[in-house]
């Protein structure tokens, strides 16, 4: 550590609880460190985050302060760090796969820290093939976006994390939804161009390649009747009913009219080149999401996926 740098050490006291480490603050060896994804609510806040299997280092450059989290729980995996700032007061949220740690600083001095349990919707961390945390509403809300490999299909999951700087409860998880996409996808992108919208609606763009076909899906988390007007775009609606989610090409679904349901998102599906299989790919997407299935807010497991149909001749490109 640089001698001119102020270092605050946070230690794990027991389980997944933390406190200020009052032990010897002399130099210590962190070993090899790797960069961890991070965001800030304040554009000009310059900070970096690094981690290894035991420690996390958060370097706040404006105040020349290092916050070092020592000996985090061995079963936990750090996913993301988010920092909010007001003058010289900072609140740091460290998001693990099973808990969230909040650290408060004032004038480069430690104030307190707290933790709450946190569970990503995916049952196996190893199944995540892409993740992103997008900031919205001035950075106090993070939109978690996760692609999960489920074997015969992939699942996109999304929800909001409302971060609380002061309260006993660190975060609130809400506005969750999920849907299935075909398997064997590569080059996944989650575009956060629209992450800074000053409202509670989110616009997420997903891109990936499946068997040489370029997919792009624009997601708006509400019902939209006019957004794209193009023959190359297919508008779909993600619908939540009492047991889970499904996708339809229309917002009028006779078979669900007897139940309570709502449109939670509008999906605009676009293929970057004109392909003869576009209709079959849309039908594949609809079929994957036509079941009465698993809800992101439920702990229940999805119904078993039927055996995949043989690939059509036009869909048999090599991966």
């Amino acid at each position: 550590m640089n001698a001119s740098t102020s270092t605050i050490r946070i230690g794990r006291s027991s389980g997944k609880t933390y406190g200020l480490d009052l032990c010897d603050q002399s130099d210590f060896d962190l070993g090899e460190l790797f960069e961890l994804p991070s965001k800030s609510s304040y554009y000009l806040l310059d900070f970096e985050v690094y981690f290894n299997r035991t420690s996390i280092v958060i370097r706040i450059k404006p105040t020349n302060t290092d916050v070092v989290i020592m000996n985090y729980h061995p079963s936990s995996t750090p996913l993301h760090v988010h920092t909010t700032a007001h003058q010289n007061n900072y609140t740091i949220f460290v998001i693990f796969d099973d808990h969230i740690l909040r650290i408060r600083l004032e004038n480069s001095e430690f104030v307190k820290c707290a933790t709450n349990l946190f569970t990503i919707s995916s049952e196996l961390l190893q199944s995540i093939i892409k993740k992103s945390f997008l900031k919205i509403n001035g950075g106090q809300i993070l939109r978690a976006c996760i692609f999960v490999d489920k074997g015969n299909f992939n699942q996109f999951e999304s929800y909001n994390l409302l971060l609380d700087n002061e309260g006993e409860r660190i975060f609130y998880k809400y506005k969750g939804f999920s849907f299935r996409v075909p398997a064997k996808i590569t080059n996944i992108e989650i575009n956060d161009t629209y992450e800074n919208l000053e409202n509670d609606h989110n616009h997420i763009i997903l891109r990936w390649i499946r068997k040489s076909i370029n997919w792009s899906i624009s997601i708006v988390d509400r019902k939209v009747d006019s957004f794209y007007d193009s023959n190359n775009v297919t508008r779909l609606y993600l619908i939540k009913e009492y047991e889970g989610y499904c996708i339809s090409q229309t917002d009028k679904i006779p078979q669900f009219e007897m139940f309570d349901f709502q449109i939670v998102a509008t999906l605009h599906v676009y293929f970057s080149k004109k392909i003869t299989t576009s209709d079959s790919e849309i039908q594949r997407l609809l079929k994957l999401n036509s079941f009465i299935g698993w809800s992101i807010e439920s702990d229940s497991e999805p119904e078993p996926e039927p055996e995949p149909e043989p690939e059509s001749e036009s869909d048999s490109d090599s991966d």
Side-chain angles (χ1 to χ4, degrees), residues 186-187 189 206-217 232 269-275 277-278 281:
T186 58
N187 292 19
E189 297 179 17
L206 309 178
R207 294 188 180 91
W208 69 84
I209 297 175
R210 172 183 146 77
K211 293 182 173 291
S212 303
I213 299 172
N214 292 293
W215 286 66
S216 178
I217 297 184
N232 296 326
V269 184
Y270 172 77
F271 299 102
S272 59
K273 61 180 180 179
K274 190 172 182 179
I275 56 174
T277 58
S278 59
E281 289 294 329

Side-chain angles (χ1 to χ4, degrees), residues 269-297:
V269 184
Y270 172 77
F271 299 102
S272 59
K273 61 180 180 179
K274 190 172 182 179
I275 56 174
T276 57
T277 58
S278 59
D279 288 343
S280 64
E281 289 294 329
I282 290 294
Q283 291 306 312
R284 185 192 302 271
L285 183 64
L286 291 171
K287 185 176 181 180
L288 279 172
N289 293 277
S290 63
F291 65 101
I292 307 297
W294 170 69
S295 166
I296 202 170
E297 299 169 349

Side-chain angles (χ1 to χ4, degrees), residues 18-211:
Y18 300 80
L20 183 63
D21 189 339
L22 299 176
C23 297
D24 182 14
Q25 296 288 318
S26 59
D27 289 342
F28 49 94
D29 183 15
L30 292 173
E32 186 177 9
L33 293 170
F34 304 91
E35 191 168 0
L36 182 68
S38 60
K39 279 188 169 64
S40 171
S41 62
Y42 183 49
Y43 294 107
L44 299 179
L45 176 56
D46 189 5
F47 79 108
E48 299 172 339
V49 182
Y50 301 91
F51 80 109
N52 56 29
R53 291 187 177 182
T54 61
S55 305
I56 299 172
V57 180
I58 303 162
R59 292 177 173 161
I60 305 175
K61 293 187 176 180
T63 60
N64 206 24
T65 302
D66 281 354
V67 178
V68 181
I69 301 166
M70 306 293 298
N71 189 33
Y72 62 81
H73 199 278
S75 69
S76 303
T77 301
L79 302 178
H80 187 83
V81 170
H82 184 73
T83 300
T84 63
H86 178 66
Q87 296 179 344
N88 286 330
N89 298 335
Y90 298 92
T91 304
I92 301 169
F93 297 89
V94 183
I95 301 173
F96 295 87
D97 62 317
D98 55 4
H99 67 288
I100 295 181
L101 166 64
R102 182 183 65 194
I103 304 169
R104 290 189 56 211
L105 308 178
E106 293 182 3
N107 297 315
S108 300
E109 297 290 336
F110 174 83
V111 177
K112 63 180 178 179
C113 61
T115 57
N116 282 166
L117 294 179
F118 170 69
T119 304
I120 58 175
S121 53
S122 311
E123 67 276 11
L124 293 175
L125 188 64
Q126 299 92 317
S127 66
I128 294 179
I129 54 178
K130 186 73 172 184
K131 66 181 184 301
S132 178
F133 289 85
L134 318 177
K135 62 178 183 178
I136 58 175
N137 197 32
Q140 203 63 38
I141 298 174
L142 290 182
R143 166 68 87 176
C145 300
I146 301 172
F147 265 106
V148 184
D149 183 355
K150 293 282 189 175
N152 289 336
F153 61 91
N154 292 279
Q155 186 157 285
F156 176 73
E157 306 173 355
S158 178
Y159 47 83
N160 281 3
L161 292 175
L162 173 60
L163 304 175
D164 192 333
N165 291 344
E166 299 287 346
E168 182 176 340
R169 186 171 178 178
I170 294 174
F171 71 96
Y172 297 84
K173 182 177 176 181
Y174 70 106
K175 268 200 173 182
F177 62 81
S178 67
F179 59 87
R180 296 176 171 186
V181 300
K184 299 180 181 178
I185 62 178
T186 58
N187 292 19
I188 303 168
E189 297 179 17
I190 303 175
N191 192 312
D192 59 359
T193 302
Y194 298 88
E195 68 174 15
N196 301 310
L197 292 175
E198 294 295 328
N199 56 52
D200 210 17
H201 293 306
N202 303 309
H203 181 185
I204 304 167
I205 297 178
L206 309 178
R207 294 188 180 91
W208 69 84
I209 297 175
R210 172 183 146 77
K211 293 182 173 291

Side-chain angles (χ1 to χ4, degrees), residues 235-268:
R235 180 181 296 119
L236 304 175
Y237 295 97
L238 179 62
I239 295 170
K240 179 182 180 181
E241 38 75 46
Y242 72 106
E243 287 188 8
Y245 299 91
C246 65
I247 291 179
S248 174
Q249 289 180 292
T250 174
D251 58 339
K252 304 295 183 183
I253 305 182
Q255 63 266 40
F256 287 164
E257 286 183 347
M258 66 187 71
F259 304 113
D260 292 331
F261 69 92
Q262 60 177 322
I263 295 174
V264 296
T266 305
L267 283 59
H268 295 91

